[in-house]
Structure formats: structure tokens, C-alpha cells
Amino acid sequence: MREIAKEQNIEEVEKKTKEEIIEELLCPGIIDLAGNIEFMRELETQLKNRVREKREKGSRTNQKINISNPKFNIKIENLEVFEILKYVRDRLMPCTWEVMYGLACAYYQKYGHLNIPRTVKTLDGITEDVQGYSLGSWIFNQRTAYQNRSIPKEQRKNEIVPLSDERVEKLESIGMIWDKREYEWNKMYELSCAYYQKYGHLNVPQSFKTLDGITENREGYSLGSWISNQRTAYQNRNIPKDQRKNMTISLTDRKVEKLESIKMIWDVREYEWNKMYELASAYYKKYGHLNVPQSFKALDGIIENKEGYSLGVWISTQRRSYQNRKLVKEQRKNTNSPLTDKQVEKLESIKMIWDIREYEWNKMYELASAYYKK
């Protein structure tokens, strides 16, 4: 048997057991035989489709189709034997690193990435098969093996052998994702960039989902929620880990820089306040006062537009927020947060009317004075 194995160029025959030699001698034959049945089935399907296509569209050549019924079947003798061989083949195929890498290559060529769910099993690297190799788990283990390269053996939390430079290079040639969290963050960042380039801001509604960062799609990625989570992660930079109210990891300086390059809104309340303040400034410059009717809406702060922002309501809200500065929380009659000193200063720079009754009284008094003088 060992002589036969040597003739078949099986390596290190003397070191292998009898069972291992039998497996290596039989495995290629079984794999080849089992592959024949799959080839025949594929050929049958292709031939049927070709005949059906010719019959439906008609041939533009003089070629004749002698098969009148495309519902034919290729009869295969001893089909159950081939099924058994296929079953044996699927279990004899060696589960080596090279075999799994080949499946990973097939997956990458088909889908363009290696962001493989951990539960994925396959026999060809493309089609999911519960009887196949655990490609998802293998990819996960390669990440662990990569991390182990920089961890001393006695400090590792697993027994996975670190990857060699050669294997790292091979995996990186097919777009291996070493850090899945980093990969997913960058993917969402790219969607954020697309949104910003389209709409000019990152005030993304929390319910917004998309596949391209532009068009809303209920089957897409939760970009709105992701943006909200980045704000939370930004706030966590200044909060000790044991005092945080959530599990969100704080942002790195590099990520903060990337998000700020597309005008990330860290404080959405402040952003919205400043936006309304700009409209109020435009109104004041046009009309010379901030006695804005409560029903007034505008997109530019000047021309009334029923589809615009509620500038009149916002001005009224600022008056209540100003009054709340003098009241303790339990004495307030509304939930408006008190204005900051900076906000008060900005509003007073455009002649904010804090007390509308007093403003109107003074206005009427001026008219009365003018009448009296006349």
C-alpha cells in the first residue's frame, strides 16, 4: 500500500498511518466521481434552458433543433451510488488552511468582501450549505490568530496559533477584515459622507435607513441611529467608564477628526438653536424688530412659507426660556431649559423682545407722546 502511495506522489508516506494513506488514495477518486454527477446535472439544466430559449425566440440561423420537448431528463444509472459518493466526498475533503483559504477566495470573488456572518457554512465558498465547511467561524478564527501575533503566548485567552506573515499577506490580498468593528464604522462613515455631500449637513433623522447614504430605504443601514450613537460616543470621551450610562465606546481622536471633516453635529439641540437664530437674524435685518407673529413660518427668515420653520413659535419659546433663568426647576410652568448667557447675549444683539406686553405698551406710549406733542 505504501508503494502504491509513493507511485501516486503522496508526500511523507512513511509518517502516515494506514487509515491516512487509504484516505489520500481514495479521496481524489471519490471527489472526481461525485463531481461527475454534479457536472451532468448542470449540463442537463443548461441544455434544457438552451432548447427552451431557441423554441421561444426562434433561431435566426438554419440550425435545426431535433429535440421537440425541452422537458427531457438525462437518465443516470445507479444514482443512489453517486449520492453516497457525494456524501462521502463532502466529508473526505481535507479541512486544511489552504482549503478554507480557497473557499474564502471564492466568497470574495463572488461578493467583493470578507464580512462573512459567523454562522455561514459552504462547500464552494459561494452557496450556503448547512453540511458545508464553517467558513464564517474560520474567518473569525483568522482574526483571532492575527491578534495573537502581538500577544505573548502566556497572555493569550485561546489556543489559536498566530498567523504567519505569508498567511497574513494572502488574506490581505482578498480584502481580509482584521477588525470588524473598524470595518463597520468605516462603512457607516462612507454612508455619512454620501449623505453630507447630498444634503450639506448631518442632521440625519434617527429613523433614517439607507443603502447608499442618500435614498431612504427601510431595508438599508440605520444611518440615523448610527449618527446618534456617535454623539453618545463623543460625550463618553469626557466621562469615566464606570460613570457612563451606556455601553457605547468613546470615539478616538482620528474618528472625531474624520466626522468633523463632514461637519458632524455633536450637540443637535445647539445646532437647531443656532439654525433658528440665523433665521431670527435674517428677520431682524429685514423688518428691524423681533415682534414675530406666533404663526409665522419661513425657510429663509423673511418670506412667509407654511412649509417652513416655525420662527414665531421659536421666538415665543425663547421668551419662556429667558423667564426660567429666574426660577428654580420645580417652580417652572414649562419644560423649556433656561437660556445660557451666551444665547441671551446673541438674542439681545438683534433686539430680542423679552416681554411682549411691555414692548407693545411702550410702542403705544410712543404714539401717544407723538400725538400729545402734535
Side-chain angles (χ1 to χ4, degrees), residues 279-301:
L279 295 177
S281 295
Y283 186 97
Y284 174 75
K285 289 175 183 176
K286 176 68 177 177
Y287 301 107
H289 64 81
L290 280 187
N291 188 19
V292 186
Q294 191 154 348
S295 62
F296 184 82
K297 292 183 178 182
L299 290 170
D300 58 3

Side-chain angles (χ1 to χ4, degrees), residues 32 40 49 69 120 180 190 195 212 239 296 324 340 354:
D32 186 55
M40 292 296 289
N49 291 339
N69 182 8
V120 165
K180 194 169 182 180
E190 288 173 6
Y195 187 97
D212 59 5
I239 303 174
F296 184 82
N324 283 346
T340 65
W354 298 118

Side-chain angles (χ1 to χ4, degrees), residues 71-84:
K71 295 183 179 180
F72 63 87
N73 291 303
I74 296 177
K75 186 177 181 181
I76 302 173
E77 298 289 343
N78 299 319
L79 182 59
E80 66 279 2
V81 175
F82 283 102
E83 293 293 346
I84 293 171

Side-chain angles (χ1 to χ4, degrees), residues 8-23:
Q8 296 297 321
N9 296 320
I10 294 176
E11 298 179 355
E12 299 182 339
V13 174
E14 302 301 332
K15 297 181 181 179
K16 288 181 167 56
T17 65
K18 179 180 177 181
E19 289 74 15
E20 288 173 335
I21 293 174
I22 292 173
E23 180 178 319

Side-chain angles (χ1 to χ4, degrees), residues 271-287 289-290 292 296-303 305 307-312 314-315 346-347 350:
Y271 168 83
E272 291 175 348
W273 192 94
N274 287 330
K275 187 175 183 179
M276 295 304 294
Y277 173 77
E278 288 174 6
L279 295 177
S281 295
Y283 186 97
Y284 174 75
K285 289 175 183 176
K286 176 68 177 177
Y287 301 107
H289 64 81
L290 280 187
V292 186
F296 184 82
K297 292 183 178 182
L299 290 170
D300 58 3
I302 299 171
I303 302 172
N305 188 322
E307 302 299 321
Y309 301 100
S310 300
L311 181 59
W314 184 81
I315 289 290
K346 290 182 74 173
L347 285 167
I350 54 173

Side-chain angles (χ1 to χ4, degrees), residues 166-193:
E166 180 186 359
R167 289 183 174 180
V168 168
E169 186 177 345
K170 292 181 74 173
L171 285 167
E172 288 182 344
S173 71
I174 55 172
M176 180 61 178
I177 302 164
W178 298 120
D179 188 329
K180 194 169 182 180
R181 284 185 179 178
E182 184 78 7
Y183 168 83
E184 291 174 349
W185 192 93
N186 287 329
K187 187 174 184 179
M188 296 304 294
Y189 174 75
E190 288 173 6
L191 294 177
S192 301
C193 289

